[in-house]
Amino acid sequence: MQRGMSAFVVTCVNCRGAGCINAVKLSWLGHDLAAMRRDGDCMNMLNQIHSTRVAVFVDGDNVPPKLIDPVLERAKHLGRVDAVRVYADECHVDGWCKTPGITLAPMASSKNASDIALCLDALELALSSDIATFVIASADQGFAHLAQRLRTHGKWVLGVSGGKPSDFFQNSCSEFHRLPMGPNEAALDALHSKIAGVLGQTPTKPISLANFGHEMYQLGVTTSDLPNANWRSFLAGHADRYTLCPLGVRLSGDLTGQQWLNRRANPGTGRQ
């Protein structure tokens, strides 16, 4: 069954008028109105909407808590949401701890621990329950294989992201939905300028992420202002500007803060 938002109107069984007070306007996914009228399947469609079980798995390291409401709103269009699980590194769980209606799975600070746990739990649920629809909220292409495996087990997979997901992940899902999010272009430029000012003080020497976050906080910028869940994921998404390393983060290449700003203003001039 192909799923896509298309509204239809069920006419009153007495007067056959769509404008009758007894008419019910419904939202359903991909069904032909004429066939529904012919077969009298309206109530069956409603029952199917409410009986379809949905599980939501959130990559809490790359999806900020402020996006959980639009993610769940999208999931509710697919059926009854019976499970909402968020997986995050223990250093990223602060914002999620205050989010109601979720099951939080904090992981130890080891590479890919939360991603691995999410994949294992999703597959276990797929094999041990009758949940038919899975929502994966992330922009990480590493979840493409999970989406493919779920689909081979007959599950319908919706990928949701507010960032820039890879084509591989998008194509691996049954359907993909991009959430509007993040600062506008002017605000993003202002954010990059502040970052350049902080990192430009020691352009070739990394600054620890903890110290970097503190410096940005002093400038009035916190992780709640980011389109990503944390500074690491935001900086990693702009690898042409910033370089992450075991010691922290620095400007890409050997640019000073002012040179970096000049390059942004005149992108055709190359490095100075």
Side-chain angles (χ1 to χ4, degrees):
M1 181 186 303
Q2 183 179 359
R3 305 186 181 215
M5 296 304 297
S6 59
F8 65 84
V9 175
V10 180
T11 58
C12 175
V13 295
N14 295 319
C15 67
R16 300 295 178 184
C20 173
I21 193 172
N22 294 320
V24 182
K25 186 174 182 180
L26 303 172
S27 177
W28 180 238
L29 311 170
H31 279 276
D32 180 71
L33 175 58
M36 291 182 62
R37 286 174 173 168
R38 181 178 64 250
D39 299 333
D41 285 341
C42 298
M43 291 308 299
N44 289 337
M45 294 300 101
L46 278 176
N47 291 335
Q48 187 172 346
I49 291 175
H50 291 297
S51 63
T52 299
R53 301 182 65 198
V54 180
V56 180
F57 286 82
V58 180
D59 175 12
D61 290 333
N62 291 296
V63 175
K66 63 184 178 182
L67 283 186
I68 190 62
D69 286 340
V71 168
L72 293 181
E73 185 64 28
R74 192 71 182 181
K76 290 175 183 177
H77 286 299
L78 306 176
R80 187 181 73 238
V81 178
D82 285 344
V84 182
R85 301 181 182 179
V86 178
Y87 297 77
D89 187 292
E90 60 184 4
C91 63
H92 299 152
V93 300
D94 288 347
W96 287 111
C97 288
K98 303 174 184 178
T99 305
I102 67 168
T103 299
L104 179 61
M107 297 289 115
S109 297
S110 58
K111 184 175 178 60
N112 296 327
S114 57
D115 292 354
I116 293 171
L118 188 156
C119 291
L120 290 175
D121 286 357
L123 284 173
E124 180 184 18
L125 193 62
L127 297 173
S128 63
S129 73
D130 62 348
I131 290 180
T133 301
F134 285 74
V135 177
I136 303 174
S138 179
D140 190 340
Q141 70 172 357
F143 292 111
H145 187 61
L146 171 62
Q148 293 172 353
R149 290 298 300 272
L150 289 172
R151 294 179 69 184
T152 62
H153 289 293
K155 309 303 181 181
W156 195 86
V157 181
L158 172 68
V160 181
S161 172
K164 295 181 179 179
S166 70
D167 291 339
F168 184 37
F169 182 34
Q170 293 187 68
N171 294 334
S172 297
C173 297
S174 307
E175 183 179 319
F176 203 94
H177 179 67
R178 291 281 299 275
L179 295 171
M181 63 167 294
N184 58 36
E185 185 174 350
L188 193 58
D189 282 342
L191 175 59
H192 283 308
S193 296
K194 290 182 179 180
I195 295 174
V198 171
L199 298 182
Q201 298 174 26
T202 55
T204 60
K205 182 180 179 181
I207 177 175
S208 71
L209 288 178
N211 288 337
F212 171 76
H214 177 72
E215 292 287 340
M216 295 303 296
Y217 180 80
Q218 296 299 316
L219 295 175
V221 182
T222 67
T223 52
S224 63
D225 300 312
L226 302 178
N228 303 75
N230 52 69
W231 279 114
R232 178 178 291 278
S233 58
F234 176 81
L235 296 169
H238 298 277
D240 59 323
R241 301 175 174 91
Y242 317 114
T243 297
L244 287 167
C245 65
L247 296 178
V249 60
R250 62 177 177 82
L251 291 173
S252 291
D254 55 357
L255 299 178
T256 65
Q258 187 57 50
Q259 287 173 330
W260 185 90
L261 291 173
N262 290 341
R263 189 181 70 169
R264 277 187 57 80
N266 303 284
T269 61
R271 294 191 175 186
Q272 301 181 18

